[in-house]
Amino acid sequence: MTRVGVFGAGGRMGRTVCAAIAAEPAVELVAAVDPYHAGIDLHQLGIPDTGLQVAGSADALVDANADVAVDFTVVDAARKNLDWCADHGVHAVVGTTGFGADELDALRIRFEASKANAVLAPNFSIGAVLMMRFAELAAPFFDSAEIIELHHDEKVDAPSGTALLTAQRMAAASSEWAPDPTRQVVLEGARGGEGPAGIRVHSLRLRGLVAHQEVLLGAAGQTLTIRHDSLDRSSFMPGVVLAVRAVADRPGLTVGLDPLLGL
Ligand code: NAD
């Protein structure tokens, strides 16, 4: 039985993860950490039958002998939590977004030197993982591409980690992209952010949304649109549970769910 602690247990994703882990027979929720919700019983957060309280620090994971820590916090906290996991030999499954490419290289080195492993995925929804794979497959057959990501109105980072990773993977899959035709920008930002290989990324924030993305590709006389919608946070849970169960067998740092899904 894998013993799991959750960083960010009081947050939207953290609560959903706690409930999913508590409901999963092969894993056990043994600790919940969130300094901004410390002392609250998990059942007050809508998570039944654990008897656990939210703890204020990572010490709770040591006390509970956790094998794996799941992190859905904010990137500054996740950096510290990952460091803590590497130091304490606790495997990490990280969904927090906002890590830069250079940081991933540093984390790779950090976890190669640690007895703990880490799986970091900007998107744990299996549909979104497939969307990224399809976009990468399509990239060499089109001349231009733009990404529109749409999220709820409380998301603090932009663009989404998924959008950035999609752009990186499409840029790596094709070097032949048409230049941006824009010569005059009337409203600053109208063309979105310039991602890898000049692929433009547009971030929409709207109350009522969860997590959505469209990848639009264009070539002479045709377009292809690949769209994924996470309609509920439960969409991320099969991927999180998969990573929790797999992380001990994946030395170093694994970025993205693809290798866990055999893609
Ligand atoms: P949220 O603001 O609802 O929750 C974040 C929680 O982290 C808060 O409860 C906060 O108190 C807590 N926290 C802050 N510092 C902490 C620390 N040092 N230790 C422990 N807890 C700490 O945010 P959310 O909507 O749950 O999203 C969390 C992160 O997950 C974001 O980066 C978001 O982009 C990402 N996310 C990833 C996926 C994915 O599939 N990878 C899906 C959805 C959201």
Side-chain angles (χ1 to χ4, degrees), residues 6-23 29 32-34 36-37 40-48 50 54 70 72 233-234 237:
V6 175
F7 285 118
R12 286 170 291 237
M13 284 298 289
R15 290 176 202 206
T16 316
V17 170
C18 285
I21 297 289
L29 183 68
V33 179
D34 193 322
Y36 303 100
H37 295 84
I40 299 176
D41 290 339
L42 281 196
H43 75 81
Q44 287 177 271
L45 298 176
I47 303 145
T50 63
V54 180
V70 180
F72 281 91
R233 291 186 176 83
S234 60
M237 296 307 116

Side-chain angles (χ1 to χ4, degrees), residues 75-242:
V75 72
D76 287 343
R79 286 187 185 108
K80 292 186 187 122
N81 293 338
L82 269 167
D83 237 15
W84 184 93
C85 287
D87 281 346
H88 289 80
V90 176
H91 302 307
V93 169
V94 182
T96 305
T97 56
F99 288 93
D102 294 354
E103 277 188 280
L104 296 187
D105 291 340
L107 282 172
R108 209 174 287 286
I109 294 165
R110 183 86 170 90
F111 277 90
E112 267 162 21
S114 164
K115 68 177 179 158
N117 307 331
V119 173
L120 188 150
N123 203 316
F124 278 96
S125 147
I126 289 163
V129 174
L130 288 170
M131 169 191 60
M132 283 188 266
R133 182 78 185 111
F134 297 156
E136 185 179 50
L137 287 174
F141 302 100
F142 289 84
D143 305 321
S144 48
E146 307 230 350
I147 298 172
I148 305 172
E149 57 95 340
L150 311 91
H151 280 82
H152 59 85
D153 60 333
E154 291 183 54
K155 183 166 176 60
V156 293
D157 55 319
S160 71
T162 303
L164 210 48
L165 185 58
T166 310
Q168 282 160 1
R169 288 175 57 168
M170 293 173 75
S174 175
S175 53
E176 291 179 25
W177 297 103
D180 185 347
T182 313
R183 292 289 166 268
Q184 194 189 352
V185 174
V186 179
L187 184 65
E188 195 59 45
R191 291 289 293 120
E194 187 176 344
I199 296 172
R200 297 276 163 177
V201 181
H202 309 265
S203 298
L204 278 67
R205 297 292 175 262
L206 220 59
R207 184 160 295 181
L209 293 176
V210 179
H212 317 259
Q213 181 169 300
E214 271 185 28
V215 181
L216 299 98
L217 297 113
Q222 60 179 320
T223 64
L224 172 67
T225 303
I226 306 166
R227 180 172 173 118
H228 176 260
D229 297 277
S230 276
L231 304 173
D232 184 274
R233 291 186 176 83
S234 60
S235 63
F236 303 111
M237 296 307 116
V240 172
V241 172
L242 175 71

